[in-house]
Amino acid sequence: MKKIITLCISTILLLTTAVNANANNVNQATALIDNAMQESLSIINDPALTTAIKREKLWPIVTSHFDFTLISELTLGKFSAGATSPLGDYSDRRFTTEQQVEFTDAFTIHLGNLYLDRLNNDSKFSVLLTKSSAMKPIRQMQRARVNSLINKKTAIDYSLRLKNDGWRIYDVKVEGRSLISSFRKEYSALLLKNTPDELLALLNEKNLAHSDNNAE
């Protein structure tokens, strides 16, 4: 009996430790989003800064908090270099490791252009973090979600993973619509008609056109 009681107490202590560690991790994820938001808002809401300067100041914040390697892998899905799903007649559409590295670089720039273009000199934002929670682990990867409300009306939720003791954002849901799911659907359709090299060429053309337009 004494052995059973000792085992029960040990189990409870282990569970309590695990719950506390999980709660601490979720608090860390929440703090990361809160800090990043406050830092970003101080730039976005500064009337003295032009749109170009805002973009320049925001880009390092974005790249330091988003996990573009995982975002790119999840976006490519079954076409990614590490995927094992059979592609049948489209087996030549799977990315090589080198192509995926190139895709990650080009897709990162494309995402930055897409979302930072929405800024203008009159942009004003407020953010309220409404809820944080642990998500079911995938591949033994600890995950968390932080929900927010932009300008008191638009729900934007951040999915994060814990890697090397640091939290990084790997998906954003706007009003429930996932960035990863949207791009995966778009690129899957493109890859049924184009090879990885052709998709890379399309992305690079878009990025180059964006640079040329901004240079005018």
Side-chain angles (χ1 to χ4, degrees), residues 53-209:
I53 296 296
K54 288 178 182 178
R55 288 177 61 101
E56 185 178 327
K57 287 179 172 289
L58 285 170
W59 190 237
I61 299 173
V62 172
T63 53
S64 64
H65 290 94
F66 279 77
D67 188 341
F68 287 108
T69 299
L70 182 58
I71 289 172
S72 299
E73 179 187 338
L74 296 175
T75 297
L76 291 176
K78 62 183 179 183
F79 297 103
S80 68
T84 56
S85 303
L87 295 177
D89 293 339
Y90 301 98
S91 57
D92 63 335
R93 310 299 161 85
R94 176 155 288 143
F95 281 60
T96 64
T97 302
E98 291 75 16
Q99 287 171 327
Q100 190 155 324
V101 170
E102 187 179 347
F103 175 80
T104 300
D105 292 341
F107 189 48
T108 299
I109 294 170
H110 178 59
L111 285 177
N113 291 339
L114 200 61
Y115 290 99
L116 293 180
D117 275 354
R118 298 181 182 185
L119 289 175
N120 58 53
N121 290 346
D122 299 323
S123 297
K124 293 288 181 184
F125 292 97
S126 64
V127 177
L128 174 66
L129 300 188
T130 57
K131 183 183 175 185
S132 302
S133 57
M135 298 167 68
K136 186 178 179 181
I138 291 181
R139 303 180 204 166
Q140 298 183 328
M141 176 177 72
Q142 286 194 52
R143 301 188 300 151
R145 176 165 294 154
V146 179
N147 302 77
S148 70
L149 201 57
I150 308 296
N151 289 349
K152 297 182 180 178
K153 62 179 182 181
T154 304
I156 298 185
D157 306 326
Y158 300 87
S159 298
L160 304 97
R161 72 163 175 172
L162 183 61
K163 184 180 180 183
N164 299 330
D165 296 328
W167 285 96
R168 303 286 297 278
I169 302 163
Y170 70 88
D171 195 10
V172 179
K173 288 185 177 178
V174 180
E175 298 290 358
R177 187 179 180 188
S178 160
L179 175 148
I180 294 290
S181 297
S182 298
F183 276 105
R184 183 191 294 141
K185 186 177 180 181
E186 177 184 342
Y187 288 164
S188 291
L190 284 171
L191 285 167
L192 294 180
K193 300 177 181 177
N194 301 273
T195 64
D197 280 337
E198 289 170 334
L199 176 58
L200 287 170
L202 285 173
L203 261 180
N204 288 326
E205 282 174 15
K206 282 186 179 180
N207 291 339
L208 184 60

Side-chain angles (χ1 to χ4, degrees), residues 7-18:
L7 182 61
C8 290
I9 293 173
S10 300
T11 303
I12 290 171
L13 287 174
L14 283 171
L15 287 173
T16 303
T17 303

